[in-house]
């Protein structure tokens, strides 16, 4: 379905396509997944000898007394990779929410006002407020305004608290990061094989939850496999979100089955 997007500065409205949006988001996520796999493979293959050889290749260092040994760099590289993956997932989740809301706001405005200036202004105002909202408020607005629920909402919000701990609290989980059970919990999606694959065929299976729990005073850490599962979890979140948006569109799009008229 292709509702019309609210007016953009200096341009005409353009149509939004939910399937195209979903494909773009999942394609971007796949690139992050591939890059993570490449980086993990590189980390697993690098040797201390190769590291020292590369360090000495320029014959001089910017500040030799601050040079870190191989073990220190392994830990630093793991921590940097973890921060990057969490940040990437959060950025992608926010982008998916913002774009989904843009789609929903356009449909709601068309239903209430038709394809006119008043409807476009209403959708613009709604989108501007949503874009400025905090992550948890975005989820609230999606539920209250459109009835869109996301099973993985708590995990995405927990990732926001995890990044906050990494940036502001020396990676340590604080009381403010905990839920009512005193936990900072993540429901990671993992693939469980339910039937051995035929030669040359993909395996059959299902996504299951693999729960990770941190408590006050513990450090935020994700091992390499968990980092990969974070991206699988993001893919599941996208799937749930876009399916919920599609259901709303089917129930509320006044132009279902036809192209909206250009303004």
């Amino acid at each position: 379905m292709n509702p019309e997007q609210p007016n953009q500065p200096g341009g005409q409205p353009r149509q939004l396509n939910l399937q195209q949006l979903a494909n773009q988001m999942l394609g971007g996520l796949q690139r992050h997944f591939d890059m993570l796999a490449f980086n993990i493979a590189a980390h697993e293959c690098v040797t201390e000898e190769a590291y020292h050889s590369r360090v000495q290749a320029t014959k001089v260092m910017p500040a030799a007394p601050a040079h870190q040994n191989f073990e220190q760099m392994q830990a630093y590289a793991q921590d940097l990779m973890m921060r990057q993956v969490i940040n990437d997932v959060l950025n992608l989740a926010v982008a998916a929410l913002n774009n989904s809301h843009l789609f929903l706001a356009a449909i709601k405005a068309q239903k209430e006002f038709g394809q006119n200036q008043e409807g476009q202004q209403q959708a613009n105002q709604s989108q501007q407020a949503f874009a400025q909202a905090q992550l948890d408020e975005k989820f609230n607005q999606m539920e209250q305004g459109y009835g869109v629920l996301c099973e993985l909402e708590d995990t995405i919000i927990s990732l926001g608290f995890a990044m906050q701990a990494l940036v502001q609290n020396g990676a340590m989980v604080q009381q403010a990061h905990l839920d009512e059970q005193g936990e900072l919990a993540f429901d990671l999606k993992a693939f469980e094989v339910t039937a051995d694959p035929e030669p040359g065929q993909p395996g059959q299976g299902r996504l299951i939850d693999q729960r990770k729990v941190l408590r006050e005073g513990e450090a935020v850490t994700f091992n390499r496999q968990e980092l990969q599962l974070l991206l699988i979890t993001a893919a599941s979140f996208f799937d749930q979100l876009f399916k919920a948006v599609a259901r709303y569109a089917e129930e509320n799009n006044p132009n279902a089955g036809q192209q909206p008229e250009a303004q």
Side-chain angles (χ1 to χ4, degrees):
M1 295 181 182
N2 305 290
E4 193 172 272
Q5 179 177 339
N7 277 334
Q8 300 301 300
Q12 294 295 319
R14 65 180 177 84
Q15 290 178 352
L16 295 172
N17 184 287
L18 183 59
Q19 186 61 57
Q20 183 180 38
L21 171 61
N23 290 341
Q24 290 174 346
M25 294 299 302
L26 288 169
L29 184 60
Q30 182 62 47
R31 287 189 290 274
H32 284 284
F33 183 87
D34 293 342
M35 180 55 69
L36 175 61
F38 185 88
N39 287 336
I40 290 176
H43 289 183
E44 291 174 344
C45 293
V46 67
T47 64
E48 187 170 3
E49 292 75 16
Y51 171 62
H52 287 308
S53 175
R54 180 47 51 190
V55 165
Q56 297 164 8
T58 56
K59 312 301 182 186
V60 65
M61 290 184 279
H67 168 64
Q68 293 189 313
N69 63 34
F70 182 65
E71 289 75 18
Q72 289 172 317
M73 282 309 302
Q74 281 184 311
Y76 177 75
Q78 174 68 25
D79 181 71
L80 187 63
M81 184 167 60
M82 177 182 67
R83 291 169 182 256
Q84 186 62 55
V85 170
I86 294 174
N87 188 62
D88 288 343
V89 170
L90 286 171
N91 286 339
L92 288 166
V94 168
L97 287 167
N98 286 348
N99 283 297
S100 293
H101 183 269
L102 180 62
F103 189 90
L104 293 167
I107 291 174
K108 188 173 185 179
Q110 286 186 20
K111 181 180 180 180
E112 294 179 355
F113 301 98
Q115 295 184 1
N116 57 38
Q117 189 66 29
E118 184 179 5
Q120 292 172 11
Q121 290 176 350
Q122 178 70 25
N124 274 329
Q125 292 172 2
S126 178
Q127 181 64 16
Q128 289 170 7
F130 187 87
Q132 296 171 3
Q134 297 293 319
L135 183 58
D136 58 345
E137 181 58 25
K138 289 182 190 292
F139 284 110
N140 290 338
Q141 290 187 30
M142 293 287 279
E143 179 178 356
Q144 295 168 8
Y146 310 97
V148 171
L149 299 173
C150 301
E151 173 193 343
L152 289 164
E153 171 184 346
D154 290 343
T155 292
I156 299 299
I157 291 175
S158 289
L159 285 175
F161 285 133
M163 180 55 70
Q164 187 179 87
L166 288 166
V167 173
Q168 300 178 3
N169 305 111
M172 305 305 293
V173 175
Q174 306 293 305
Q175 176 66 36
H177 303 148
L178 306 179
D179 60 20
E180 296 178 353
Q181 287 71 46
E183 301 175 341
L184 181 60
F186 311 85
D187 289 318
L188 305 180
K189 295 296 182 180
F191 186 77
E192 179 183 62
V193 176
T194 57
D196 293 332
E198 297 293 332
Q201 299 297 319
Q204 297 182 8
R206 58 175 181 165
L207 287 178
I208 60 172
D209 286 334
Q210 181 172 301
R211 192 167 178 84
K212 179 181 178 68
V213 175
L214 298 173
R215 294 181 173 81
E216 185 177 4
E218 296 181 344
V220 174
T221 58
F222 289 83
N223 62 37
R224 292 171 179 177
Q225 183 183 29
E226 289 171 339
L227 291 180
Q228 290 184 289
L229 294 184
L230 278 179
L231 295 178
I232 300 300
T233 303
S236 182
F237 169 71
F238 288 171
D239 181 66
Q240 296 169 12
L241 175 62
F242 293 135
K243 284 180 178 177
V245 173
R247 285 194 295 270
Y248 181 90
E250 291 172 358
E251 296 169 0
N252 295 276
N253 187 0
N255 296 299
Q258 63 181 9
Q259 289 290 105
E261 294 180 5
Q263 297 292 311

